[in-house]
Amino acid sequence: MKKALITGITGQDGYYLAELLLKKGYEVHGVIRKNSSKSLAGIELLGSGINSNIVLHYADLLDSQDWVDLFGKVVPDEIYNLAAQSHVQDSFDWPEYTCNITGLGALRILEALRQLSLIDKVRFYQASSSEMFGNVLESPQTESTPFCPRSPYACAKVMAHYLTIHYREYYNMYACAGILFNHESPQRAETFVTRKITKAAARIKLGLQDELYLGALNARRDWGYAGDYVEAMWLMLQQERATDYIIASGEVHSVQEFVEEAFGLLELDWQTYVKCDVQYQRPAEVNLLQGNPSKLKKELGWASKLSFKELVKLMVAADYALAEQEKFLQCQSILK
């Protein structure tokens, strides 16, 4: 039985990846921060019935010794490094923390493997980000497109990305990076714009909310489904040779298109409820990100399955169900 270790298991991708690996018969180990208030129940793994099959460990990406100790105890066949301070806007407020967690955190994991002489025993996946392209120099972006990061988060991801390549080339480690373009799901944190939109649309429909404030509506992104994208991560670690890939749908849509689709599914006129507010705009906006996944499709046979419209529909339905529960509890409280 293969053994996989997932950092950032409390996030969206950790949820779907754990589910995928368990279905494939893996022994799955998840890592959360020592001071984290989250648990496996917190990411709703209990709801999917897989909580009891995951071994949970505590470790901090700020502490090198944590990883030496952890890998000394658990020697995984595969490591998926999904952990990060992943909010672009927050990285402007906490740049040092973001770079320490997102950039140096990857180094601490890789160095622990080297110190324990596990370089040739473990396969390592690094979750890189389309934000690394920043002010894009060509579109769509490919694996050879130069990086031009526009935030501390993106800079930190560039660091982790190149460290992954360094350990692959210098130490002959099986280490690869998937450059993930925007991928969403009902498991997406509510602070991300897509969940913010679908949650607000559902709550507005049921009279629980009056308005939605957003930043730049003209920003355009390549959106896909997180459940599809974790399959690409897994495929990347099953190959004879490690290399890096763009993970994307290849299609691009604006934030406004996402809003129109979400509100339209609930028969709402989005212009009545959606307001633009400069406080939600980034200090340095990235206007267009579009990936070219042709290398991944050609070499590994992977393609995004869920369409943009299907993705929005899935998220709206999930948030509408949550809003119905909220309204029911609200009515129950009033009746008491």
Side-chain angles (χ1 to χ4, degrees):
M1 178 186 291
K2 278 189 177 181
K3 188 185 301 181
L5 185 141
I6 304 171
T7 73
I9 197 167
T10 57
Q12 168 190 253
D13 292 1
Y15 172 91
Y16 286 106
L17 180 59
E19 193 171 49
L20 174 71
L21 294 177
L22 287 170
K23 287 178 180 177
K24 291 184 177 294
Y26 278 68
E27 178 182 318
V28 177
H29 295 253
V31 183
I32 64 173
R33 295 193 313 274
K34 284 181 281 190
N35 62 347
S36 176
S37 60
K38 292 182 178 180
S39 66
L40 289 180
I43 55 168
E44 298 176 7
L45 287 176
L46 279 172
S48 64
I50 63 175
N51 183 24
S52 60
N53 298 316
I54 295 176
V55 182
L56 185 63
H57 306 273
Y58 291 91
D60 197 320
L61 285 173
L62 296 174
D63 190 335
S64 300
Q65 190 60 43
D66 277 0
W67 300 96
V68 174
D69 294 342
L70 178 57
F71 296 145
K73 181 172 61 174
V74 180
V75 181
D77 298 291
E78 300 171 2
I79 295 173
Y80 297 85
N81 184 32
L82 311 183
Q85 190 300 100
S86 57
H87 294 275
V88 176
Q89 184 70 44
D90 288 349
S91 76
F92 288 96
D93 298 324
W94 306 316
E96 182 179 351
Y97 176 76
T98 298
C99 291
N100 208 344
I101 289 289
T102 306
L104 286 173
L107 176 62
R108 293 182 181 108
I109 292 173
L110 291 164
E111 264 301 284
L113 293 171
R114 186 186 69 80
Q115 290 175 31
L116 293 170
S117 300
L118 297 175
I119 287 288
D120 60 345
K121 297 180 177 66
V122 178
R123 294 191 170 201
F124 176 81
Y125 170 87
Q126 168 62 27
S128 291
S129 169
S130 61
E131 290 287 336
M132 300 188 304
F133 294 117
N135 270 351
V136 295
L137 302 179
E138 63 181 14
S139 196
Q141 293 86 60
T142 70
E143 290 80 4
S144 60
T145 300
F147 299 137
C148 188
R150 294 270 285 169
S151 67
Y153 166 76
C155 291
K157 279 293 188 181
V158 170
M159 179 184 184
H161 183 85
Y162 279 126
L163 283 167
T164 301
I165 294 172
H166 168 70
Y167 275 76
R168 180 171 72 229
E169 295 180 347
Y170 192 81
Y171 296 110
N172 198 32
M173 180 182 182
Y174 194 108
C176 57
I179 305 176
L180 291 153
F181 280 68
N182 292 64
H183 49 293
E184 318 297 324
S185 76
Q187 295 295 329
R188 189 55 131 165
E190 294 175 6
T191 52
F192 287 84
V193 68
T194 51
R195 271 301 304 284
K196 190 176 178 182
I197 292 167
T198 56
K199 181 182 178 182
R203 296 184 81 250
I204 288 170
K205 180 67 175 181
L206 293 173
L208 296 168
Q209 184 172 329
D210 297 324
E211 295 176 321
L212 168 63
Y213 289 90
L214 296 173
L217 293 178
N218 61 343
R220 304 172 71 206
R221 293 290 185 270
D222 185 327
W223 274 302
Y225 174 48
D228 291 339
Y229 285 35
V230 297
E231 183 181 8
M233 299 177 192
W234 175 77
L235 282 170
M236 287 175 61
L237 292 194
Q238 313 312 309
Q239 307 309 307
E240 184 177 339
R241 180 179 65 91
T243 187
D244 309 317
Y245 292 96
I246 294 282
I247 305 177
S249 73
E251 296 183 9
V252 67
H253 299 274
S254 67
V255 174
Q256 182 172 317
E257 285 179 79
F258 200 106
V259 170
E260 290 174 351
E261 187 66 27
F263 277 72
L265 286 167
L266 297 173
E267 300 181 334
L268 294 171
D269 178 6
W270 71 271
Q271 295 181 80
T272 303
Y273 305 101
V274 178
K275 314 295 180 185
C276 291
D277 192 326
V278 292
Q279 72 169 309
Y280 295 109
Q281 294 182 7
R282 297 181 188 177
E285 185 59 74
V286 174
N287 293 316
L288 171 64
L289 291 172
Q290 180 180 10
N292 180 351
S294 59
K295 178 184 174 184
L296 186 58
K297 184 176 182 179
K298 180 181 178 181
E299 296 184 6
L300 306 189
W302 180 91
S304 183
K305 300 180 183 71
L306 208 67
S307 71
F308 173 74
K309 287 181 179 292
E310 290 169 335
L311 172 62
V312 180
K313 185 176 181 180
L314 176 70
M315 294 178 68
V316 168
D319 274 325
Y320 190 81
L322 289 175
E324 283 186 314
Q325 291 176 21
E326 181 184 355
K327 186 163 186 177
F328 174 76
L329 292 174
Q330 201 176 81
C331 291
Q332 290 291 98
S333 178
I334 292 171
L335 288 173
K336 287 180 181 179

